[in-house]
C-alpha cells in the first residue's frame, strides 16, 4: 500500500518569518505547497520573534543559573510555536503532528547552551513520517548526552533542520525574510546589493552574518549537504553547495502582482486573508461582489469593490481568482479572463465539470493558464496526486468520500442527530452553503469524481447513477455497529473512458473510507498493478479550500515573475551586453566569485 509522501523535504521557519501567531498562515502556505507536491514535510520552527529574548530577561539576575534549567525554559518558546503551527495546519485540513526532538533521539553533547548535535534515530524518524505526512519539530534544543536538555546556540534551529535533512537524505530549505544570500544585508544597504544564485560553503559562512548559523553552514560543508535559502512564496533563492559561487542576474524591483477576486464569500474571503499576508507580493485590485451595500461596513476598502465583471477586468489583473457560485456568471468571467491574458484560479467544480471540453487545453502542462485544485478535496491534494500517479502507471479505479458536508452530516446523524439538525450544524460551521441541495443530492460529489476521472482516465465520462443522503434510506433504525454509512463516489476505467457513480453505502468500519470523520475527505487510488494510494484530510470549509486556491495563486505567481525576470534580463543584455550587469556599473559584470572573496 502506497501512502502520500514518496520523498521528503525539510523546511526551517525562523522568527523572521514566524514573527507572531498571526504569521502562521505564511508557513501553512509553504508547507502545503510541498505537501501537495507529494512530499513528506519536516517543518522545523524557531520561537516567535522576541520570545527567546523575553524568556532570557525573565531569569536575568537569578542566582545559580543551571544550564539545563535555562535550556528547559528556553525550549518552551519553540514548543509553543510548533504547537501553534500544527493547530493552524489542522485548521487548513493538513494532517500533521508535533514531534519533540527527544522522540526521535535527537541528541547533543558539549556546552549546554551551545551544544553540537551528534545523533538522531533514523528508524524512529522514518516511522514517524510514515505515520504522518507532515511533522513539526521545535528547533534549537535536543536531548543532552549528559542528561536534561541542551541548546544549540543562537540560530540553532538551522542546525536542527540540516541534521534532519542529512539523516533523511532530503532537501533542506531555510525560509527567511529575504529571498536568498546577499553580498550585504538588503535591509541596511544603501544600494541594492547583489544576490548569490549559488554560494560555496566558505562564501556562505563569510556573508551569512545572522542570516544562517555559522556552525550550521560548517555542518553542511562537512557533509557536502546542499541547502536553499529563500523567502516563502518566492521564485528566487540561493543554493549553498560545493562551488563555484555565482551571482544571480540582476533584476528590477518587482511590482506586486495584480489580483482580481471574483466573489467574496467563504472561499473568496479566505483567499483574501492569504493574499493579505503577502502585501509585497500581491495587490488586490478589484473584488467583484453581488451586493455592494452588503460590504459597506466591512474593513475592505470600498475602492476595491465592483459589481460587474467588466469593472473588475478594467483594472488589468494578472491573476483572476474565480470564487463565484454556479456556472453563470462564472463562465462569462472565465472567458473574459482568458481573453485578457490573465491567469485563472477557480474552485468552481460546477463550472469546471460543465466546461471541461471547452477549457481542457488551458488545464494541463506546467504553465497551464487555469488551475483548479480547490474544486476537489479542499486541502487534500487529490488532483495533484492523481495527475502525478497517472504519469507513473495506469489507474484502474477511484473510490472516495469527497463531500465533507455530507460526511459531517452522516457523522452527526450516526450520533443521534436528525438530518435537519445535522445540516444546520454544517451550515453554522461553514461546511455547507445556505442551500445545501447540491451536497445532499450527491451532485457535488458527482462533479468532483467526474473531474478526478477526467484526469485519471481521460476519454468520455458516463454517469451510472447519482443519489444522495435521505432521512429514511441512510439512517436505518437497526444500524449494524460494525458498519457505517458513507456517501461514496466511484469511478472505473472503461474502454471509451470511465464510468462514475455516487451513492450512500454501508461500509465495514475497517474500510479506509469508513474512517472519515466530520468534514474529512478520503480517496483511494487503485492502480492497475494493484497498488493503492490513500489520501485523507479536511475537505470542506473556508480555510482548507482557500489554502488549495492560494497554492494555485502562488504557482501562477512564480510563472509571472519568471517571465518578468526574463524580459528584464533580455533588456539588460541589449543595453549593456553583459549578462547580469547594468550599463552604469562595470563591477556588476563580475558575477562569478570563489571562496570567501567577492
Amino acid at each position: 500500500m502506497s501512502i502520500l509522501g514518496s520523498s521528503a523535504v525539510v523546511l526551517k521557519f525562523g522568527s523572521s518569518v514566524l514573527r507572531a501567531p498571526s504569521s502562521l498562515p505564511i508557513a501553512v502556505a509553504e508547507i502545503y505547497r510541498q505537501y501537495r507536491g507529494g512530499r513528506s514535510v519536516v517543518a522545523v520552527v524557531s520561537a516567535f520573534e522576541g520570545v527567546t529574548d523575553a524568556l532570557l530577561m525573565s531569569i536575568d539576575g537569578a542566582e545559580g543559573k543551571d544550564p539545563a534549567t535555562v535550556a528547559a525554559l528556553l525550549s518552551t518558546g519553540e514548543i509553543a510555536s510548533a504547537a501553534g503551527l500544527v493547530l493552524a495546519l489542522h485548521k487548513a485540513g493538513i494532517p500533521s503532528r508535533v514531534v519533540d526532538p527527544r522522540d526521535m533521539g535527537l541528541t547533543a553533547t558539549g556546552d549546554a547552551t551551545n551544544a553540537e548535535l551528534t545523533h538522531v534515530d533514523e528508524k524512529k524518524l522514518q516511522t514517524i513520517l510514515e505515520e504522518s505526512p507532515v511533522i513539526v519539530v521545535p528547533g534549537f534544543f535536543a536531548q543532552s548526552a549528559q542528561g536534561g536538555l541542551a541548546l544549540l546556540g543562537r540560530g540553532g534551529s538551522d542546525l536542527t533542520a540540516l541534521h534532519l535533512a542529512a539523516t533523511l537524505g532530503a532537501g533542506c530549505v531555510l525560509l527567511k525574510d529575504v529571498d536568498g544570500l546577499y553580498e550585504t544585508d538588503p535591509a541596511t544597504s544603501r544600494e541594492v546589493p547583489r544576490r548569490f544564485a549559488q554560494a560555496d560553503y566558505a562564501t556562505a559562512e563569510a556573508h551569512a552574518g545572522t542570516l544562517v548559523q555559522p556552525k550550521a553552514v560548517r555542518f553542511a560543508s562537512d557533509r557536502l549537504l546542499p541547502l536553499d535559502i529563500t523567502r516563502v512564496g518566492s521564485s528566487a533563492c540561493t543554493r549553498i553547495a560545493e562551488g563555484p559561487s555565482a551571482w544571480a542576474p540582476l533584476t528590477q524591483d518587482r511590482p506586486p502582482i495584480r489580483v482580481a477576486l471574483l466573489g467574496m464569500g467563504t472561499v473568496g474571503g479566505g483567499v483574501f486573508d492569504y493574499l493579505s499576508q503577502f502585501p509585497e507580493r500581491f495587490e488586490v485590485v478589484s473584488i467583484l461582489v453581488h451586493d455592494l451595500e452588503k460590504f459597506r461596513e466591512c474593513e475592505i476598502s470600498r475602492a476595491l469593490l465592483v459589481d460587474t465583471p467588466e469593472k473588475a477586468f478594467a483594472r488589468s489583473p494578472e491573476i483572476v481568482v474565480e470564487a463565484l457560485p454556479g456556472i453563470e456568471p462564472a463562465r462569462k468571467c472565465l472567458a473574459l479572463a482568458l481573453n485578457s491574458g490573465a491567469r485563472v484560479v477557480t474552485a468552481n467544480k460546477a463550472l469546471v465539470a460543465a466546461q471541461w471540453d471547452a477549457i481542457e487545453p488551458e488545464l494541463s502542462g506546467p504553465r497551464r493558464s487555469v488551475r483548479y485544485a480547490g474544486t476537489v478535496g479542499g486541502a487534500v491534494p487529490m488532483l495533484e496526486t492523481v495527475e502525478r500517479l497517472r504519469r507513473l502507471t495506469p489507474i484502474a479505479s477511484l473510490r472516495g468520500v469527497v463531500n465533507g458536508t455530507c460526511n459531517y452530516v452522516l457523522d452527526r446523524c450516526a450520533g443521534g442527530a436528525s438530518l435537519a439538525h445535522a445540516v444546520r450544524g454544517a451550515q453554522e460551521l461553514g461546511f455547507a452553503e445556505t442551500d445545501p441541495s447540491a451536497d445532499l443530492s450527491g451532485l457535488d460529489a458527482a462533479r468532483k469524481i467526474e473531474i478526478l476521472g477526467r484526469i485519471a482516465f481521460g476519454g468520455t465520462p458516463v454517469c451510472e447513477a447519482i443519489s444522495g443522503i435521505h432521512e429514511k434510506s441512510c439512517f436505518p433504525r437497526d444500524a449494524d455497529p460494525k458498519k457505517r454509512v458513507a456517501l461514496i463516489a466511484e469511478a472505473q476505467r472503461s474502454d471509451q473512458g470511465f464510468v462514475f457513480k455516487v451513492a450512500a453505502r454501508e461500509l465495514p468500519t475497517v474500510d479506509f473510507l469508513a474512517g472519515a470523520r466530520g468534514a474529512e475527505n478520503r480517496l483511494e487510488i487503485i492502480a492497475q498493478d494493484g497498488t493503492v494510494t490513500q489520501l485523507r484530510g479536511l475537505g470542506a470549509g473556508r480555510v482548507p479550500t482557500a489554502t488549495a486556491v492560494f497554492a494555485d495563486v502562488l504557482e501562477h505567481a512564480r510563472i509571472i515573475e519568471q517571465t518578468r525576470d526574463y524580459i528584464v534580463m533580455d533588456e539588460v543584455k541589449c543595453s549593456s551586453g553583459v549578462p547580469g550587469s547594468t550599463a552604469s556599473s562595470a563591477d556588476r559584470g563580475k558575477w562569478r566569485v570563489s571562496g570567501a572573496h567577492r
Side-chain angles (χ1 to χ4, degrees), residues 243-531:
S245 297
W247 298 118
L250 291 175
T251 59
Q252 295 176 348
D253 288 340
R254 296 187 180 116
I257 293 171
R258 300 169 64 82
V259 180
L261 280 175
L262 310 184
M264 198 59 179
T266 299
V267 176
V271 175
F272 182 82
D273 290 344
Y274 266 121
L275 291 167
S276 299
Q277 293 283 344
F278 298 84
E280 76 291 338
R281 192 93 186 278
F282 299 104
E283 177 189 5
V284 177
V285 295
S286 59
I287 301 174
L288 175 64
V289 296
H290 176 68
D291 183 2
L292 292 174
E293 293 303 312
K294 180 179 178 181
F295 293 88
R296 179 178 293 277
E297 302 300 326
C298 73
E299 296 181 359
I300 299 172
S301 170
R302 286 185 58 81
L304 297 178
L305 300 175
V306 297
D307 56 2
T308 68
E310 290 76 13
K311 291 177 182 177
F313 287 99
R315 299 180 182 180
S316 304
E318 297 167 273
I319 297 176
V320 174
V321 177
E322 187 279 302
L324 299 168
I327 297 176
E328 292 293 352
R331 184 193 59 78
K332 174 184 177 181
C333 291
L334 177 63
L336 285 171
L338 295 177
N339 288 337
S340 72
R343 293 181 168 274
V344 178
V345 179
T346 180
N348 191 331
K349 77 276 296 182
L351 174 68
V352 173
Q355 296 291 307
W356 184 278
D357 291 334
I359 63 176
E360 185 175 12
E362 311 290 345
L363 301 175
S364 60
R367 300 181 69 85
R368 66 195 71 179
S369 57
V370 178
R371 292 183 177 270
Y372 56 105
T375 59
V376 181
V380 187
M382 294 183 180
L383 296 177
E384 299 89 341
T385 305
V386 169
E387 188 176 68
R388 185 170 60 254
L389 293 176
R390 181 201 64 193
R391 294 195 294 265
L392 300 175
T393 184
I395 295 173
S397 62
L398 307 169
R399 61 189 293 267
V401 172
V402 296
N403 185 279
T405 301
C406 285
N407 202 68
Y408 174 86
V409 168
L410 288 168
D411 219 19
R412 290 289 305 275
C413 290
S418 68
L419 180 60
H421 184 74
V423 170
R424 283 197 300 272
Q427 290 169 327
E428 291 169 359
L429 292 172
F431 297 152
E433 300 291 341
T434 304
D435 178 5
S437 57
D439 294 315
L440 301 181
S441 68
L443 178 59
D444 179 84
R447 288 165 172 163
K448 292 174 179 176
I449 198 67
E450 180 182 352
I451 292 171
L452 287 168
R454 294 273 198 175
I455 300 170
F457 312 114
T460 303
V462 175
C463 179
E464 283 191 346
I466 301 174
S467 62
I469 58 176
H470 312 281
E471 190 83 59
K472 292 182 179 179
S473 61
C474 296
F475 312 109
R477 292 183 178 180
D478 301 321
D480 186 340
K482 294 184 179 179
K483 291 186 177 180
R484 183 177 181 274
V485 176
L487 188 68
I488 303 301
E490 299 175 273
Q492 183 114 15
R493 181 182 293 277
S494 67
D495 291 339
Q496 289 75 37
F498 65 99
V499 294
F500 66 96
K501 59 185 177 181
V502 175
R505 292 177 48 193
E506 273 195 320
L507 301 176
T509 54
V510 294
D511 191 302
F512 172 70
L513 300 186
R517 291 292 179 269
E520 187 180 26
N521 278 197
R522 294 193 176 195
L523 180 69
E524 282 191 337
I525 307 164
I526 300 94
Q528 286 190 345
D529 64 4
T531 302

Side-chain angles (χ1 to χ4, degrees), residues 19 106 207 286 382 404 433 550:
R19 297 183 180 277
L106 196 64
H207 287 79
S286 59
M382 294 183 180
E433 300 291 341
F550 184 66

Side-chain angles (χ1 to χ4, degrees), residues 542-565:
R542 175 190 182 101
V543 179
T545 305
T547 299
V549 171
F550 184 66
D552 279 346
V553 171
L554 286 176
E555 294 304 326
H556 278 326
R558 287 183 177 85
I559 293 173
I560 290 171
E561 289 171 347
Q562 289 165 2
T563 302
R564 285 179 179 177
D565 289 348

